[in-house]
Structure formats: C-alpha cells, structure tokens
Amino acid sequence: MAILIPTLVGVFLVLLASGVWIGLSMMATGIVGLELFRNLPVDKILGQSLFNTVSTTELLSLPLFILMAELLFRTRLSENMFAGLAPWTTRLPGRLLHINIIASTLFAAVSGSSAATTATVGRITLSELDKRGYDRDIAIGSLAGASTIGFLIPPSLPMIIYGVLAEVSILQLFIAGIIPGLLLAFGFSLMTMALTLYRGTSKAGGESYSYKDKLDSIRKLGPITALIVLLIVGLYSGFASPTEAAAMGVAGAMALAALSGDLSLVALRDSAVSTVRTSSMLALITSGGAFLSVAFNYLGVPTFVVGVVTDANLSPIGVVLVLMVLYLVLGCILDGMSMIVVTLPITLPAVVIAGWDPLWFGIFLVVTIEMAQLTPPVGFNLFVIQSITKEPMMRIARSVVPYFFVLLMLMALLITVPDLVLWLPRML
C-alpha cells in the first residue's frame, strides 16, 4: 500500500491537471492500478462494471428529473414564484430577501439540481431586489446559500447517485433529506434577518400589499405547488417509485408549460439537448466512479483504510470530523458529484465500521457537497451567480461566508443528533 496509494493518487491528479474529464480520469486510474498491481482481465472487469452501472434502473430517474427542471426553467413559473411569494414576506426583517430562500426551497422540490435552482431563481430575484434597493451582498449571499437546498430537498441528483453507488434506498434518502433541508432553509432565513438587522436594512424596499394581492398570489403559486404535491404524494404514499415519480414530474411540467402557453418545439428541443448534455456528464462521472470502486476493492484499498481507522481508535464523531475536514479541502478543488464518486469507495467502509448508518452518511455527504458549491475556486454556485450578476468573484465569495457558517452549524447538528436524519425514514 505504501507504493499503491501514492501511485493511484499521482495518476489521478496528473490526469485532472492535464484537463482529462474526471469520469475518464477515474477509469484510467482504476485501469493503471489493476494493470500494475494485479494480474486480472481488466477489459472484462471494465466492460462489466460500465454495463452494470448504466443499466441500473434507479439511474433512469436522473435524466427524467433533469428534463423536468429544464422544462420548468423555460416557463413563466419562476416569474410567478416571485410575484406569488412577495406579499407573504413583507412582515419579516429583510422582507423580499426571503424570497430567495423560499423560492429556492420550492424549486428544489421539483428540480434536484443546485445549479438549476441558482440560475432559475437568480435570474428573477436579483434584478427585482436591485430595483427595490435591497442590500446586494445579502441578496447574493442568500441566493448562493439557499440554492444549495436543491441537493437536500427531494428529488436530489446527488442522492440518486449516492444511492446507486452505496446500494442505499433512494426513496429512504429522499425522506431522510426533508427535515435537514427544512432546517437549512430556516437557518438561512434567520441569518438573513440577523444580517439585515445588523446592517440596518431590515425594512428596505418599503413594499405594501393588499389582501387582494395575497389572494392573487395564491393563484400564481398554485401550479408549482400542485406539481410538488403530486411528487410528494406519489413518492411517499408508495404509489410511485422514484423513477415513476420522475416520469410523473415530466408529464406535470409539460402540462404546466402547455397551460401557460410556453410549450413549443423550440422549448422542447432546448430542454432535450440540455438534458442529454447534463445526463451524459453525470453518467460518465458515475460510471468512472463505479469502476474505480471495483478497482479499489480488487486492490484492497477499502480494507486497508478500515484497518487504519480501527487502529487509530478514533471515536465515531472523530471519524466524521476528520472526513468533514477532508471534504472541505476537496470541495476547493472538486465539484460535489465528483467528490461522491471519488471518495465513496474508501470513506463508506470506514464510516460503517465506525458505527454510522449509511443512510445518515448519505445526508452527511450531501451537506458537504453543498459546502463545496460555495467554496472557491471550484464552487459552482458562485460561477452561476457571477454569470448572472457580473460581480467580481471575491465579492460573491465574501457575501456567501455567513451562509457557509449556517451549513457548518447544520453539519454540527446532524453529527450530534443523527436522528434528525434517521427518524422520518423509520417512521415512514
């Protein structure tokens, strides 16, 4: 192992630095490891691993949820969300700034993608908040933080990938993410209130809305609320599996687009092309990670790591604290999906031997991925916001810092009270 692990790490880093796609980098690392350190038919192992991964039924929900989000992105639902939520936030310190958080939470329930949530909500809210004179730093920070909720509120793309690779029920992962996701949204709202009170901008905007406006807002929020209810009832009543719920979501999104007059051949074509691109990227990353996991097993890496953890006599909390630091560092150089597939073959056995539930670890991983979305230089949400606002990256990164601490507090809460994750799946 003294030669094997440095060799594999070196090969992987060299390939990444050379600009090779991360999925191909993981496959190549696995091939090099098996060719150098084991006498095995690598071509057959690679072919079988790729076939097993891409033919997994659970992965079918991935492109369907992406297609649903793409269809909704091209309708007027996002604009209606701002108009529909505005009358209900004016009594809170920070007023319309909370729309970033509430709209991100709602869109997360039909998207599953943090980047899609950032782009969709940001294009509507940031310009409107600017026009009304709201604190720009808080507007940017609250959007960047709240858009990460898309990974915790089901349906969640990282949960689907984790469930497939870790062989954990995707439906149970979806259920487990509900309470942490709502707690995170509440934490972001509290942080927004605290920041606006501290900076003296808690009553910025000065909007006023009548009861008629509130009644009209219910009509505007009705379609997306109906789609959310459809997905929740389908999933948690046992009527539909995650894949079937995703198909229902696509049908619902097409129906809403048709009713709003936004369903056209151009919109369908753009949605389909974007879905194929995103799904292909995720399929390549997942396939590469699955093969690397198989290669690690043949090379004995997980067994070695478990032995190191056992010999170190770390407490269960000590193990996850070490992993949290590791993932925070990795989040500066890898995107969230890649973090899952690269590290899971090594970290999951160590976590299980330390006594943690794989279901709990899935939510732990998702929260670390949310942190990775906000850490430069690779924080993807930061780049999406920069493309919308044209602000310097340093200003965006500074605006996100308070909301990053909310994620850290949620992580501390999940470690000290694991039942926040496990209670609801057990009840259902």
Side-chain angles (χ1 to χ4, degrees), residues 309-380:
V309 171
T310 304
D311 294 341
N313 290 322
L314 290 173
S315 66
I317 290 180
V319 171
V320 294
L321 288 178
V322 169
L323 289 180
M324 187 172 73
V325 173
L326 170 68
Y327 281 118
L328 287 177
V329 173
L330 287 176
C332 296
I333 56 176
L334 289 176
D335 67 276
M337 298 293 189
S338 303
M339 283 167 55
I340 290 181
V341 294
V342 170
T343 62
L344 195 61
I346 299 172
T347 56
L348 183 58
V351 167
V352 171
I353 203 71
W356 294 98
D357 191 303
L359 182 62
W360 177 89
F361 185 59
I363 304 303
F364 171 90
L365 255 185
V366 168
V367 178
T368 61
I369 290 171
E370 292 180 328
M371 294 179 180
Q373 295 291 107
L374 303 180
T375 51
V378 184
F380 198 67

Side-chain angles (χ1 to χ4, degrees), residues 176-190:
I178 293 174
I179 292 177
L182 295 177
L183 281 175
L184 188 59
F186 182 65
F188 285 146
S189 278
L190 286 180

Side-chain angles (χ1 to χ4, degrees), residues 138-197:
I138 301 178
I140 290 172
S142 60
L143 173 65
S147 57
T148 64
I149 298 173
F151 283 162
L152 264 181
I153 299 287
S156 163
L157 304 187
M159 286 184 189
I160 294 171
I161 291 176
Y162 175 84
V164 170
L165 294 178
E167 298 181 358
V168 174
S169 165
I170 293 172
L171 181 56
Q172 283 203 323
L173 283 166
F174 283 178
I175 296 170
I178 293 174
I179 292 177
L182 295 177
L183 281 175
L184 188 59
F186 182 65
F188 285 146
S189 278
L190 286 180
M191 179 58 74
T192 300
M193 292 186 219
L195 289 173
T196 55
L197 289 170

